[in-house]
C-alpha cells in the first residue's frame, strides 16, 4: 500500500463568507496541488472539505498521513467524535445532527478506503507545505464565479427529525442494541405503554409512541 502525505488548509473571509481550500499531495513519485472555493461557507467546512478533496485525489487505496492546522478536524477524526456520531445514525444528540454532517459522511467513507492518520500542525509557523496550502485557499476564495456550497446554503440537518427507535437499534448512550420489554406495573392513568425499549448495558429505558395505549374509562 503506497504511503502519501497530504497537507490541507481552508478558510473564509469573513467567517461565514467566501471560502476556499488548498491541498498539497506528496507522493514518492510526484507532487500535486489542488484548490477551490465557494461563494459562501465557513472556516470549519473549508477545513473538512480540504481533507475530502485531498483524499479524493487518490486513485487507489493508500496509507495517508494528513496534516491540518484545524484542531476541529483532527480531534473529530482521531478522538472518535465522528465514529460516535456514526454509531448514533449521524446524530449528535437526541434532537441535533452534527454540524457539517454531509462532509463528515464523505470523509468517513474515504477513510474506509484509505488508512488515514490525521496530524495537527500549527498554522503560520513556517511549515512550507502548510503555508502553500494557505496561499492556495486564500487565492481560491478570491476567484470570481465561485460555485454554491449546497451543503451549507441548502443544509437540511437542522430540519431533520430523529427517527423513532426500534428494537435492535443502538442505545443513544452506549450504542448497545436495545431490547423490547413489557412493563411489570399495572397500567393506570389516562394511558400506558404496552412495551418499552431497554438497554441492557446502561439500563436506560426508551418509551415508544407506537406502544402508547389510551385507557377507556366507563361513564359509571
Amino acid at each position: 500500500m503506497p504511503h502519501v502525505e497530504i497537507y490541507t488548509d481552508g478558510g473564509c473571509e469573513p467567517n461565514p463568507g467566501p471560502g476556499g481550500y488548498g491541498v498539497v499531495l506528496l507522493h514518492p513519485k510526484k507532487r500535486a496541488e489542488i484548490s477551490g472555493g465557494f461563494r459562501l461557507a465557513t472556516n470549519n467546512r473549508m477545513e473538512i472539505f480540504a481533507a475530502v478533496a485531498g483524499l479524493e485525489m487518490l486513485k487507489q487505496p493508500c496509507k495517508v498521513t494528513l496534516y491540518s492546522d484545524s484542531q476541529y478536524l483532527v480531534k473529530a477524526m482521531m478522538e472518535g467524535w465522528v465514529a460516535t456520531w456514526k454509531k448514533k445514525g449521524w446524530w449528535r444528540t437526541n434532537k441535533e445532527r452534527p454540524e457539517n454532517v454531509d462532509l463528515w459522511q464523505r470523509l468517513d467513507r474515504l477513510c474506509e478506503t484509505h488508512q488515514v492518520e490525521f496530524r495537527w500542525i500549527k498554522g503560520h509557523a513556517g511549515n512550507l507545505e502548510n503555508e502553500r496550502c494557505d496561499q492556495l485557499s486564500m487565492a481560491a476564495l478570491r476567484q470570481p464565479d465561485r460555485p454554491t456550497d449546497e451543503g451549507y446554503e441548502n443544509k437540511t440537518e437542522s430540519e431533520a427529525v430523529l427517527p423513532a427507535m426500534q428494537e435492535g437499534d443502538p442505545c443513544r448512550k452506549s450504542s448497545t442494541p436495545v431490547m423490547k420489554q413489557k412493563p411489570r406495573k399495572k397500567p393506570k392513568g389516562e394511558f400506558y405503554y404496552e412495551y418499552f425499549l431497554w438497554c441492557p448495558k446502561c439500563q436506560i429505558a426508551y418509551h415508544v409512541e407506537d406502544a402508547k395505549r389510551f385507557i377507556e374509562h366507563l361513564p359509571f
Side-chain angles (χ1 to χ4, degrees):
M1 183 176 289
H3 179 261
V4 300
E5 292 184 330
I6 296 177
Y7 288 80
T8 66
D9 194 24
C12 296
E13 286 188 350
N15 180 39
Y21 64 90
V23 179
V24 172
L25 186 150
L26 302 178
H27 185 275
K29 295 183 180 180
K30 68 176 182 178
R31 170 194 174 92
E33 297 181 352
I34 60 167
S35 63
F38 297 94
R39 69 177 188 179
L40 182 62
T42 66
N43 283 342
N44 285 339
R45 284 190 67 81
M46 292 298 90
E47 295 283 10
I48 305 168
F49 197 95
V52 169
L55 292 172
E56 287 181 343
M57 294 173 69
L58 302 174
K59 305 300 183 183
Q60 66 183 94
C62 293
K63 185 176 182 181
V64 182
T65 305
L66 192 148
Y67 298 92
S68 171
D69 59 15
S70 168
Q71 293 198 28
Y72 172 67
L73 169 65
V74 175
K75 286 186 176 181
M77 297 305 297
M78 299 305 293
E79 296 186 8
W81 303 358
V82 172
T84 298
W85 299 333
K86 184 178 181 180
K87 285 182 180 179
K88 294 181 177 181
W90 295 105
W91 288 86
R92 187 177 66 83
T93 69
N94 290 351
K95 296 182 179 180
E96 295 180 347
R97 288 194 182 276
E99 287 191 20
N100 309 310
V101 65
D102 59 317
L103 295 180
W104 291 124
Q105 290 172 334
R106 286 176 65 180
L107 185 56
D108 177 70
R109 287 192 293 269
L110 288 162
C111 290
E112 291 177 349
T113 300
H114 309 286
Q115 295 180 14
V116 187
E117 178 187 4
F118 292 80
R119 291 186 185 178
W120 180 77
I121 54 173
K122 188 175 182 179
H124 308 289
N127 184 291
L128 294 179
E129 305 301 355
N130 174 259
E131 297 289 349
R132 179 56 180 158
C133 289
D134 179 68
Q135 294 170 2
L136 290 169
S137 64
M138 290 299 101
L141 69 80
R142 296 185 177 98
Q143 293 297 313
D145 301 321
R146 295 177 304 275
T148 300
D149 180 356
E150 295 290 344
Y152 180 68
E153 295 196 45
N154 300 316
K155 61 182 178 180
T156 59
E157 59 259 32
S158 60
E159 304 169 1
V161 177
L162 184 67
M165 184 174 282
Q166 299 180 1
E167 185 175 17
D169 285 352
C171 170
R172 290 166 188 161
K173 182 178 180 180
S174 68
S175 298
T176 303
V178 295
M179 304 166 58
K180 186 182 290 187
Q181 297 282 329
K182 289 189 176 182
R184 296 178 180 178
K185 295 181 180 180
K186 293 183 178 180
K188 59 181 179 179
E190 298 295 325
F191 64 88
Y192 68 98
Y193 289 92
E194 189 175 35
Y195 64 87
F196 60 91
L197 298 174
W198 178 73
C199 174
K201 182 175 182 179
C202 55
Q203 311 290 305
I204 291 178
Y206 298 92
H207 285 125
V208 182
E209 283 300 306
D210 287 346
K212 193 173 185 179
R213 304 289 183 265
F214 287 90
I215 299 174
E216 294 185 7
H217 294 282
L218 297 176
F220 54 85

